[in-house]
């Protein structure tokens, strides 16, 4: 069975998400085509799509990876907290026993990643994505995908703040406990609190109040 071929849009989006291209970086068609081994036409179409989604911005004639100002960041976290909280509440109602087991296993396995913010950030995305899927609401999953694409425009992860990874993992544990108990209110509240604390940490990182481990 051949692996699924990723399209140019997905390849560029993943590169932004992984920090290969960071806010302010210029994206050049020919460079991207060479990096990903595809022709310039799908690259051009992908760049147009990313610009339409506000993930890229114009800088003269060039396209650069967009960045979020303070107000945009605050707006994004408000929406994220509400949608993620809803996803956790729905997961408490609709997740299968197997999906709940996977979430619990993720929390336990991620303990081995404490002290490695880059790996923890990847694990964190997987964890949240699993909750989205466990909500069993395709429209909510689509909206959360859009929110998480915009999260890729942040230059650093809040998990880079000293000590945040251990605290975040404890918060993940509380979220899963609410889902395991089939308690939508507890699960939703735990996830909204988790997002709120992540936002506070990010603001402190941006202001220099806390140190980054990256």
């Amino acid at each position: 069975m051949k692996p699924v071929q990723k399209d140019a849009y997905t390849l560029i989006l993943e590169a932004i998400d992984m920090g290969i291209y960071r806010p302010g970086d210029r994206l050049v068609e020919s460079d991207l085509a060479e990096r990903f081994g595809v022709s310039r036409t799908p690259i051009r179409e992908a760049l147009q799509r990313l610009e339409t989604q506000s993930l890229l911005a114009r800088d003269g004639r060039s396209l650069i990876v967009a960045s979020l100002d303070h107000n945009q960041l605050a707006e994004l976290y408000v929406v994220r907290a509400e949608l993620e909280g809803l996803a956790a509440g729905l997961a408490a109602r609709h997740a299968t026993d197997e999906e709940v087991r996977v979430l619990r296993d993720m929390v336990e396995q991620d303990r081995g990643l404490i002290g490695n913010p880059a790996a923890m950030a990847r694990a964190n995305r997987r964890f949240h994505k699993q909750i989205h899927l466990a909500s069993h609401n395709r429209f909510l999953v689509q909206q959360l995908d859009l929110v998480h694409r915009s999260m890729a425009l942040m230059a650093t992860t809040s998990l880079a703040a000293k000590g945040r990874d251990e605290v975040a993992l404890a918060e993940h544990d509380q979220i899963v406990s609410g889902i395991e108990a089939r308690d939508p209110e507890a699960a939703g509240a735990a996830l909204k609190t988790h997002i709120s604390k992540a936002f506070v940490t990010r603001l402190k990182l941006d202001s220099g109040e806390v140190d980054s481990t990256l």
Side-chain angles (χ1 to χ4, degrees), residues 31-72:
D31 293 346
L32 293 167
E34 184 177 351
R35 170 187 279 272
F36 298 124
V38 297
S39 67
R40 292 178 65 165
T41 299
I43 291 291
R44 187 178 304 118
E45 292 169 352
L47 292 177
Q48 290 170 349
R49 184 178 171 190
L50 289 162
E51 183 183 8
T52 301
Q53 294 175 340
S54 299
L55 295 174
L56 300 181
R58 287 279 167 186
D59 181 22
R61 296 183 64 183
S62 301
L63 277 174
I64 62 172
V65 179
S67 55
L68 299 173
D69 63 26
H70 177 81
N71 288 337
Q72 290 171 321

Side-chain angles (χ1 to χ4, degrees), residues 133-177:
L133 295 173
S135 74
H136 291 271
N137 186 304
R138 70 192 71 183
F139 299 103
L140 180 57
V141 171
Q142 288 171 359
Q143 294 306 309
L144 280 164
D145 281 347
L146 289 173
V147 169
H148 276 258
R149 282 177 206 163
S150 297
M151 297 291 292
L153 300 179
M154 298 177 188
T156 58
T157 170
S158 62
L159 292 164
K162 192 173 182 180
R164 174 59 192 163
D165 52 1
E166 197 164 356
V167 173
L169 196 56
E171 291 164 7
H172 284 186
D173 184 84
Q174 284 190 311
I175 295 163
V176 176
S177 292

